[in-house]
Amino acid sequence: MKFTSRHSAARNTAAVLGVALAAATLTGCTETAAGGDDAAAAGACEPSDITLVGQVRNESNPYEAAWLDGGDAFAEQVGLTQERLTYDGDSTRQQEQISQLLAGDTECLVMNILPNGDSDTPPIVEGAEAAGAYLVTQWNKPADLNVADYDTWLSHITYDGVESGKQIGDALAEAIGGSGGIVALQGALDTAAAKDRFAGLEESLAANPDVELLDDQTANFSRAEALELTKTLLTKHGEEVKGIWAANDDMALGALEALQQAGRDDVAVVGIDAVPDALTAIQDGTMTATVSSDGPWQGGIGLAIGYCVATGELAVEDIAEEDRAWYAEQFLIEQDNVADFVSPETSEADFACDNLFSRSQGAMS
């Protein structure tokens, strides 16, 4: 499907500047940007000179693979290719890959990066700023790190994890009839996504007082870890477990496998990311709900923001303050609407320079 936004068109207009004005206004940015070529800092890159890089943890995670696929779709749209990088959840490896990129030609380098954890973001940002490379980050950053303090760190995109955690928590509560025991599989604890999603579950539990959280453990967003952890939790809590709340779909799918092995078909399971296997499970009734952040769009939008600034179609200072760090739209998926999300598509309009922030749900608080 093609996702549509409820966001006002007025903000689209505010995000755009004509090419001639962009070239002039970005000159001021040239003087303050540390490192990088003057022409690049002024947004004067020829499209053919731009290098596009997308980096995620791994492609074994269908959501992250879809992110990179979205980057490929945008790159093809502008006649380029995307360099796909993965670091297997290893922060040291991620930093090494970024350092290698920044040691090369950064004149017209555009990077769309998923930092492994909050603490991994500052060195990536500082390196990109020093090299003059255009950077968009997603999901993870320290709360006190301000995007507007930088010239080439253009935008940080995330999702209201509290909202999504509560959404699936409420869906789980409804699925188990409003009462009973559940267990929670948390994500990597050094990530804002994991912290916020669990906070959302806590809000849901407060709103559904007859639902009891029997246990919560981290499975680090991993299907394999979730499989083993769920086996342990089922052994520990037995028939008390009526539902499993998972902070992402990979863990939810691991939990479903453990339930299948245990012969349990009486446990509701929810997750986040809307990966294909989860959507199939929702269709066939073995999984209750998930939330989509639209991975293909994420993979394209980060590159599109950098591309529009690099070519001078958008001036850094013309990006509204609330669009430097912002929440993007997300979608709750259950059995009654899952068919609409099975084959998400991107469109050229999604990545147009006058439409970059159309899915904004407001600035990060």
Side-chain angles (χ1 to χ4, degrees), residues 188-260:
L189 298 182
D190 182 31
T191 65
K195 297 170 188 174
D196 290 347
R197 291 171 186 180
F198 189 72
L201 171 61
E202 291 177 319
E203 287 192 7
S204 177
L205 290 168
N208 296 279
D210 292 330
V211 176
E212 179 186 0
L213 181 62
L214 302 170
D215 214 328
D216 71 273
Q217 302 288 335
T218 179
N220 293 302
F221 293 127
S222 165
R223 186 181 306 200
E225 290 187 42
L227 169 62
E228 296 306 318
L229 178 57
T230 301
K231 289 179 180 179
T232 299
L233 292 173
L234 290 174
T235 298
K236 180 178 179 181
H237 297 286
E239 296 296 324
E240 289 185 88
V241 178
K242 303 301 181 185
I244 298 176
W245 180 98
N248 79 340
D249 283 345
D250 247 23
M251 294 190 296
L253 292 166
L256 284 173
E257 186 176 347
L259 289 167
Q260 183 179 26

Side-chain angles (χ1 to χ4, degrees), residues 20-351:
L21 181 57
T25 53
L26 276 170
T27 302
C29 211
T30 305
E31 297 173 357
T32 58
D37 183 87
D38 285 352
C45 295
E46 292 294 329
S48 59
D49 292 333
I50 293 175
T51 299
L52 302 175
V53 177
Q55 188 196 48
V56 299
R57 293 187 183 93
N58 60 71
E59 293 195 55
S60 62
N61 181 320
Y63 156 69
E64 293 180 13
W67 165 316
L68 293 180
D69 290 344
D72 286 344
F74 170 75
E76 182 178 359
Q77 174 182 320
V78 295
L80 298 172
T81 58
Q82 172 193 222
E83 182 176 354
R84 300 166 66 113
L85 295 180
T86 60
Y87 54 90
D88 295 324
D90 183 333
S91 293
T92 299
R93 184 176 179 186
Q94 177 172 47
Q95 299 296 336
E96 289 173 348
Q97 289 180 350
I98 298 290
S99 295
Q100 289 172 4
L101 283 172
L102 298 179
D105 182 2
T106 61
E107 181 176 332
C108 296
L109 175 62
V110 172
M111 301 188 297
N112 183 30
I113 303 299
L114 170 60
N116 196 38
D118 291 359
S119 61
D120 297 295
T121 305
I124 295 172
V125 170
E126 295 294 340
E129 185 80 359
Y134 298 111
L135 173 67
V136 173
T137 53
Q138 301 199 41
W139 285 117
N140 303 316
K141 82 171 186 66
D144 60 354
L145 191 64
N146 186 6
V147 182
D149 291 340
Y150 296 84
D151 295 313
T152 63
W153 186 17
L154 305 176
S155 197
H156 179 79
I157 305 168
T158 192
Y159 294 81
D160 188 342
V162 176
E163 178 188 8
S164 56
K166 184 177 187 304
Q167 284 178 318
I168 62 170
D170 289 347
L172 185 62
E174 182 178 356
I176 65 173
S179 65
I182 67 170
V183 296
L185 306 179
Q186 292 208 56
L189 298 182
D190 182 31
T191 65
K195 297 170 188 174
D196 290 347
R197 291 171 186 180
F198 189 72
L201 171 61
E202 291 177 319
E203 287 192 7
S204 177
L205 290 168
N208 296 279
D210 292 330
V211 176
E212 179 186 0
L213 181 62
L214 302 170
D215 214 328
D216 71 273
Q217 302 288 335
T218 179
N220 293 302
F221 293 127
S222 165
R223 186 181 306 200
E225 290 187 42
L227 169 62
E228 296 306 318
L229 178 57
T230 301
K231 289 179 180 179
T232 299
L233 292 173
L234 290 174
T235 298
K236 180 178 179 181
H237 297 286
E239 296 296 324
E240 289 185 88
V241 178
K242 303 301 181 185
I244 298 176
W245 180 98
N248 79 340
D249 283 345
D250 247 23
M251 294 190 296
L253 292 166
L256 284 173
E257 186 176 347
L259 289 167
Q260 183 179 26
Q261 292 179 12
R264 295 285 300 273
D265 59 4
D266 60 335
V267 179
V269 178
V270 295
I272 293 172
D273 284 341
V275 304
D277 286 350
L279 297 178
T280 298
I282 292 172
Q283 283 183 303
D284 66 25
T286 56
M287 186 166 158
T288 297
T290 187
V291 170
S292 173
S293 57
D294 190 1
W297 176 83
Q298 286 184 269
I301 197 64
L303 297 180
I305 293 170
Y307 178 90
C308 290
V309 173
T311 58
E313 295 181 68
L314 175 67
V316 176
E317 56 266 41
D318 194 54
I319 300 176
E321 183 177 354
E322 62 265 28
D323 291 331
R324 296 300 296 272
W326 49 287
Y327 292 112
E329 190 173 8
Q330 56 192 351
F331 311 86
L332 178 67
I333 303 171
E334 299 176 282
Q335 196 166 42
D336 62 353
N337 68 340
V338 65
D340 295 335
F341 293 84
V342 171
S343 300
E345 301 174 6
T346 60
S347 71
E348 291 192 10
D350 288 331
F351 307 135

